């Protein structure tokens, strides 16, 4: 198994149950909403692991961002999980929108990578169900034909 395959396996095996439970309680999410946020978070980690060099990837939904925040709040675990799954610490930049050209470039990059990995079929046949994006995630990322604007990316 190559290094990326190992990272993908580790992302799939990552135990996010306590993070999901905290998110459900704090944000009063249903199980279905929390499950979708968790799947999006795994996709987010997947993109970060696969495209580590000089690429800014941003959360494409508010729920994904909130799920990420829940993980960050457990600082020791977050650091350990980042190292195990991605191989480096992933910093959160709360001020990304203060530089609109950079923010828009990050959104476009995220849309392009999301399309390539989760819509165009690169992940087809995977044994990891979270790699197959649902309609809500595809709409939220702002792909053509979507009824949802990409303002939350």
């Amino acid at each position: 198994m190559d290094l990326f395959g190992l990272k993908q396996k580790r992302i799939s095996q990552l135990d996010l149950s306590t993070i999901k439970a905290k998110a459900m309680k704090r944000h009063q999410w249903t199980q279905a909403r929390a499950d979708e946020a968790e799947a999006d978070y795994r996709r987010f980690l997947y993109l970060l692991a696969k495209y580590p060099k000089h690429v800014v990837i941003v959360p494409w939904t508010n729920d994904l961002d909130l799920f990420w925040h829940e993980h960050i709040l457990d600082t020791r675990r977050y650091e350990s999980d980042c190292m195990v799954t991605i191989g480096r610490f992933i910093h959160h930049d709360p001020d990304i929108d203060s530089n609109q050209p950079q923010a828009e470039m990050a959104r476009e990059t995220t849309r392009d990578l999301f399309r390539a990995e989760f819509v165009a079929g690169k992940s087809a046949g995977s044994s990891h169900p979270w790699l197959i994006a649902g309609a809500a995630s595809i709409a939220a990322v702002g792909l053509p034909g979507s009824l949802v604007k990409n303002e939350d990316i």
Side-chain angles (χ1 to χ4, degrees):
M1 180 179 298
D2 66 356
L3 180 59
F4 178 67
L6 181 60
K7 289 178 180 182
Q8 183 179 359
K9 181 179 178 181
R10 288 179 177 166
I11 290 167
S12 188
Q13 294 173 340
L14 193 62
D15 181 5
L16 298 171
S17 58
T18 57
I19 293 161
K20 182 166 52 174
K22 289 176 184 178
M24 287 176 70
K25 183 175 180 180
R26 184 184 316 270
H27 306 295
Q28 300 176 343
W29 288 349
T30 63
Q31 183 69 49
R33 186 172 178 181
D35 289 345
E36 184 59 30
E38 178 186 0
D40 270 341
Y41 188 58
R42 289 183 194 278
R43 290 181 202 109
F44 180 66
L45 294 174
Y46 174 95
L47 292 178
L48 291 168
K50 188 162 185 182
Y51 300 97
K53 303 287 184 183
H54 311 295
V55 175
V56 177
I57 298 169
V58 295
W60 46 88
T61 69
N62 189 50
D63 285 358
L64 165 54
D65 196 43
L66 292 172
F67 198 96
W68 184 19
H69 290 189
E70 286 297 332
H71 198 184
I72 291 169
L73 289 173
D74 188 345
T75 57
R76 283 190 175 92
R77 177 167 178 198
Y78 178 72
E79 178 183 34
S80 174
D81 288 348
C82 282
M83 296 308 292
V84 166
T85 58
I86 300 171
R88 64 189 169 92
F89 187 83
I90 303 301
H91 291 277
H92 182 281
D93 180 2
D95 298 317
I96 192 166
D97 285 330
S98 65
N99 180 336
Q100 281 303 311
Q102 179 186 13
E104 186 53 37
M105 183 184 300
R107 288 183 186 97
E108 288 175 16
T109 299
T110 300
R111 277 192 297 272
D112 292 345
L113 295 176
F114 187 99
R115 178 186 296 116
E117 294 297 330
F118 308 124
V119 180
K122 282 189 179 179
S123 303
S126 171
S127 60
H128 308 298
W130 53 267
L131 281 172
I132 309 304
S137 294
I138 292 170
V141 84
L143 293 175
S146 164
L147 298 177
V148 178
K149 294 183 180 179
N150 55 19
E151 296 164 348
D152 292 336
I153 301 178

